[in-house]
């Protein structure tokens, strides 16, 4: 994104012509790397999930990779379209690399192009082209990205156990929604062809430019087709993926929703179901700061548990070689340097195969053992960036003022006493870099939390997120609706932020 937005001479060109911009990036990167790059690898039909990109970069030892993605965006010619650069380890380029590329890009005087470049993206194999004023040919290789990624997954999971779960005498029916993003070919090839799920188990598997007119966001607001199908009781397991395959959602029979934070804690508690972790072990865990503290509570049964609270995993791929990263609505481990939604779904299927319980039974057993962390996130999307900035600025001034410390809020029969507040900053244990202003935290004396974060989903719009969390140990109190339990905390959040008054909104765009 740094490179394309600044190098393009035609404003906003990258929104409408992704292929020329991709080729421009390739040419610029070739010049940056002194023309050492002479080979371009593309997924068949131009479709690659983000995890598959990471997988291929690592397998072929590529110098890096370019991803054109509409994740978190509506897609299509009228929507935002981002460009991401992956470094040689398969992880997202850290800020220091992006800034270095930008500085070098300002010194470029020329770049070579392929005037006769006509690539059949559907045909596997190598094609060679002549670069302008260069003697060395430029090679384009079309690869089966699904097969390469599938081979990696075969080394991680017990596919025979999952296949027996989906096809054996006690099989469960699954429903998987690719939401018309890039995951369609992966879902059909891996879950249907390889693992035996019926073809009609997979829906919305044709990648579309506009995702069928529905945002490819795997949550209860947008994955309505999946939710309605699951409510009918016919299916025992459901999942949805986002546009590029790094985020996911899990549903159980009758539409039982698995909170993303519960999902990561349950996966961490059941890693013995995964052959990869039985052989390799786990050196630690990571979670993003806004993610529920449900993962932290596992320390009572996992004496060697190390939980690292960090910023979002997209800027911390380098740490995934030493820890298993479990981040908010995304999961990943050291098998790649990216978040991986299908990996998370296969972990869940492995747990179901091993425990022979329903999704709901597994979740409720976990709550009974560790307590329930009621947790939700309110997203206010497409805000005017200036408005969102001033809301966060004023809120930071309010909560970091000494007078706010130990303040009490009475909402109905609930009284919340402020224990501490801060603007979260993260010191990277690998290289010591400091990432500041990653969210505003209010932590109450009963361990309840409120967190405010702003995400610049594009250069013209912003998203403001409010996270609320409350812990309940008593099993008799585990059957309540999260929003009902958290409504006092949300009321406090709305009061001190004044987000509705300052934006004119009557409520959030999405609740997860």
């Amino acid at each position: 994104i740094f490179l394309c937005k600044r190098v393009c001479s035609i404003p906003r060109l990258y929104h409408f012509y992704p292929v020329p911009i991709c080729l421009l990036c390739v040419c610029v990167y070739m010049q940056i790397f002194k023309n050492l790059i002479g080979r371009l690898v593309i997924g068949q039909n131009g479709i690659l999930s983000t995890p598959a990109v990471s997988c291929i970069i690592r397998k072929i030892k590529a110098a890096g990779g370019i991803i054109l993605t509409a994740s978190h965006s509506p897609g299509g010619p009228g929507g935002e379209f981002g460009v991401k650069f992956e470094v040689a380890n398969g992880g997202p380029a850290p800020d220091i690399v992006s800034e270095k590329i930008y500085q070098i890009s300002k010194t470029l005087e020329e770049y070579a192009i392929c005037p006769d470049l006509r690539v059949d993206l559907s045909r596997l194999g190598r094609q060679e082209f002549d670069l302008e004023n260069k003697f060395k040919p430029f090679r384009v290789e079309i690869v089966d990205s699904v097969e390469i990624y599938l081979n990696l997954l075969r080394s991680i999971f017990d596919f025979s156990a999952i296949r027996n779960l989906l096809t054996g005498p006690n099989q469960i029916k699954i429903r998987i929604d690719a939401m018309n993003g890039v995951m369609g070919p992966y879902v059909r090839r891996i879950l249907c062809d390889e693992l035996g799920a019926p073809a009609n188990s997979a829906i919305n598997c044709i990648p579309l430019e506009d995702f069928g007119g529905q945002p490819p966001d795997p949550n209860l607001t947008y994955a309505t087709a999946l939710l309605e199908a699951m409510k009918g009781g016919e299916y025992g397991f459901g999942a949805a993926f986002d546009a590029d395959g790094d985020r996911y959602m899990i549903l159980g029979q009758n539409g039982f929703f698995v909170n993303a934070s519960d999902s990561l804690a349950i996966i961490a508690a059941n890693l013995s179901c995964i052959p990869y972790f039985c052989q390799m072990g786990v050196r630690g865990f990571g979670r993003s700061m806004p993610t529920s503290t449900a993962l932290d509570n596992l320390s009572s049964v996992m004496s060697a548990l190390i939980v690292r609270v960090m910023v979002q995993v997209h800027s911390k791929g380098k740490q995934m070689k030493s820890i298993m990263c479990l981040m908010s609505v995304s999961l990943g481990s050291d098998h790649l340097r990216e978040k991986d939604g299908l990996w998370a779904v296969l972990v869940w299927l492995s747990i179901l195969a091993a425990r022979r319980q329903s999704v709901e039974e597994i979740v409720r057993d976990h709550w009974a053992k560790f307590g329930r962390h009621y947790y939700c996130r309110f997203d206010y999307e497409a805000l005017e960036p200036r408005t969102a900035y001033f809301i966060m600025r004023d809120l930071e001034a309010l909560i970091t003022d000494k007078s706010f410390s130990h303040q009490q809020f009475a909402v109905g029969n609930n009284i919340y006493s402020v224990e501490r507040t801060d603007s979260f900053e993260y010191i990277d244990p690998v290289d010591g870099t400091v990432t500041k202003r990653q969210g505003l935290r209010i932590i109450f004396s009963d361990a309840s939390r409120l967190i405010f974060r702003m995400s610049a989903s594009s250069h013209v719009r912003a998203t403001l997120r409010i996270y609320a969390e409350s812990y309940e140990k008593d099993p008799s109190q585990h059957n309540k609706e999260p929003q009902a339990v958290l409504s006092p905390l949300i009321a406090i959040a709305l009061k001190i932020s004044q987000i509705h008054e300052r934006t004119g909104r009557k409520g959030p765009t999405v609740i997860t």
Side-chain angles (χ1 to χ4, degrees):
I1 291 175
F2 288 97
L3 180 64
C4 289
K5 287 185 179 178
R6 289 170 170 143
V7 170
C8 295
S9 59
I10 303 176
R12 299 178 67 82
L13 179 64
Y14 59 93
H15 286 261
F16 304 100
Y17 300 101
V19 173
I21 291 307
C22 181
L23 295 178
L24 172 62
C25 289
V26 171
C27 293
V28 172
Y29 281 119
M30 286 175 63
Q31 186 67 25
I32 289 175
F33 293 121
K34 307 301 183 186
N35 292 314
L36 293 177
I37 298 177
R39 176 187 177 197
L40 178 63
V41 178
I42 305 176
Q44 190 173 24
N45 299 313
I47 299 298
L48 275 165
S49 72
T50 293
V53 172
S54 179
C55 175
I56 294 173
I57 289 172
R58 291 162 63 79
K59 180 176 177 59
I60 68 174
K61 295 179 172 57
I66 300 169
I67 307 175
L68 292 94
T69 174
S71 184
H72 291 288
S73 304
E80 288 297 315
F81 206 97
V83 182
K84 299 193 298 185
F85 181 59
E86 305 274 275
V87 293
N89 71 359
D95 291 346
I96 189 171
V97 172
S98 298
E99 182 60 27
K100 182 66 174 177
I101 290 173
Y102 170 49
Q103 294 301 329
I104 294 175
S105 73
K106 293 192 296 184
T107 68
L108 298 180
E109 297 180 354
E110 65 175 7
Y111 57 84
I113 65 173
C114 298
D116 299 320
L117 184 62
R118 297 291 184 273
V119 181
D120 182 358
L121 296 179
S122 67
R123 180 166 61 90
L124 297 175
R126 298 176 178 178
Q127 303 169 57
E128 292 190 348
F129 303 89
D130 292 327
L131 280 169
E132 281 185 336
N133 305 317
K134 304 294 177 183
F135 297 107
K136 186 171 63 174
F138 181 65
R139 178 183 297 169
V140 177
E141 183 174 355
I142 309 301
V143 299
D144 185 341
S145 63
V146 180
E147 184 64 26
I148 295 172
Y149 174 67
L150 172 56
N151 284 332
L152 174 64
L153 296 180
R154 288 190 182 110
S155 69
I156 297 173
F157 298 100
D158 183 348
F159 270 25
S160 62
I162 299 175
R163 190 179 297 109
N164 186 59
L165 174 73
L166 301 180
T167 62
N170 298 314
Q171 66 183 262
I172 67 168
K173 296 185 68 175
I174 67 173
R175 189 75 162 176
I176 309 297
D177 190 346
M179 301 194 80
N180 295 122
V182 302
M183 288 304 293
Y186 296 84
V187 169
R188 288 202 178 280
R189 178 83 160 274
I190 297 172
L191 290 175
C192 298
D193 298 345
E194 180 78 13
L195 294 173
N200 61 5
S201 300
I203 60 174
N204 298 321
C205 284
I206 299 176
L208 299 174
E209 291 181 3
D210 64 350
F211 308 110
Q214 186 82 319
D217 206 343
N219 56 51
L220 297 178
T221 300
Y222 295 124
T224 52
L226 175 65
L227 179 61
E228 290 305 311
M230 295 301 298
K231 283 182 177 178
E234 179 182 358
Y235 302 97
F237 178 84
F241 299 103
D242 73 330
D244 62 347
D246 62 2
R247 292 183 293 126
Y248 76 107
M249 177 182 71
I250 299 295
L251 294 173
Q253 194 169 26
N254 302 316
F256 182 83
F257 174 65
V258 182
N259 182 286
S261 294
D262 283 335
S263 177
L264 68 85
I266 290 166
I267 288 175
N270 288 275
L271 291 182
S272 60
C273 301
I274 315 301
Y276 177 86
F277 293 109
C278 290
Q279 298 169 9
M280 305 295 293
V282 179
R283 290 176 287 275
F285 298 84
R287 66 168 178 85
S288 61
M289 179 273 290
T291 302
S292 157
T293 56
L295 178 66
D296 306 40
N297 272 11
L298 299 183
S299 57
S300 61
V301 295
M302 299 176 69
S303 58
L305 181 71
I306 300 173
V307 177
R308 185 173 297 159
V309 181
M310 51 206 301
V311 296
Q312 295 298 322
V313 72
H314 61 71
S315 62
K316 297 298 167 188
K318 58 193 169 185
Q319 294 189 25
M320 296 177 77
K321 75 183 209 177
S322 60
I323 64 174
M324 176 183 179
C325 290
L326 306 171
M327 316 295 292
S328 190
V329 294
S330 310
L331 291 180
S333 81
D334 60 0
H335 71 290
L336 294 174
R337 297 296 182 268
E338 270 289 359
K339 301 166 289 184
D340 191 342
L342 187 52
W343 173 88
V345 166
L346 291 175
V347 170
W348 263 99
L349 291 175
S350 299
I351 294 171
L352 291 172
R355 294 187 53 164
R356 290 294 172 180
Q357 292 177 287
S358 69
V359 171
E360 182 172 355
E361 287 171 338
I362 291 171
V363 173
R364 292 194 180 280
D365 280 357
H366 187 87
W367 290 344
K369 188 172 185 178
F370 299 103
R372 181 175 183 182
H373 289 254
Y374 285 99
Y375 178 84
C376 74
R377 189 184 86 189
F378 283 20
D379 288 6
Y380 292 84
E381 297 177 341
L383 296 177
E384 199 280 314
R386 185 176 177 84
T387 300
Y389 167 78
F390 283 116
I391 289 174
M392 290 295 290
R393 185 201 64 177
D394 295 345
L395 186 58
E396 180 176 1
L398 173 68
I399 72 167
T400 56
D401 189 273
K402 289 184 179 180
S403 63
F404 194 84
S405 301
H406 307 295
Q407 187 169 334
Q408 289 189 333
F409 293 89
V411 183
N413 296 324
N414 301 279
I415 297 178
Y416 295 90
S417 300
V418 177
E419 183 173 281
R420 61 189 176 94
T421 65
D422 64 13
S423 175
F424 182 75
E425 64 178 45
Y426 178 73
I427 302 175
D428 194 304
V430 176
D431 59 15
T433 57
V434 179
T435 307
K436 297 184 177 181
R437 299 193 168 214
Q438 291 300 299
L440 303 176
R441 298 193 298 179
I442 303 174
I443 301 173
F444 299 95
S445 58
D446 65 349
S448 296
R449 301 192 307 162
L450 280 174
I451 294 168
F452 302 82
R453 293 188 80 242
M454 187 174 76
S455 171
S457 55
S458 77
H459 66 296
V460 293
R461 296 281 90 183
T463 296
L464 201 153
R465 295 189 171 101
I466 300 175
Y467 304 77
E469 178 182 7
S470 181
Y471 176 70
E472 179 57 66
K473 178 65 176 175
D474 185 358
S476 67
Q477 302 297 312
H478 289 172
N479 293 318
K480 297 181 178 181
E481 285 295 322
Q483 289 186 49
V485 173
L486 297 169
S487 60
L489 284 171
I490 295 298
I492 296 171
L494 296 178
K495 178 181 178 180
I496 64 176
S497 67
Q498 296 184 317
I499 188 170
H500 289 172
E501 293 84 350
R502 298 180 67 167
T503 63
R505 301 288 181 89
K506 293 182 179 180
T509 311
V510 177
I511 301 175
T512 56

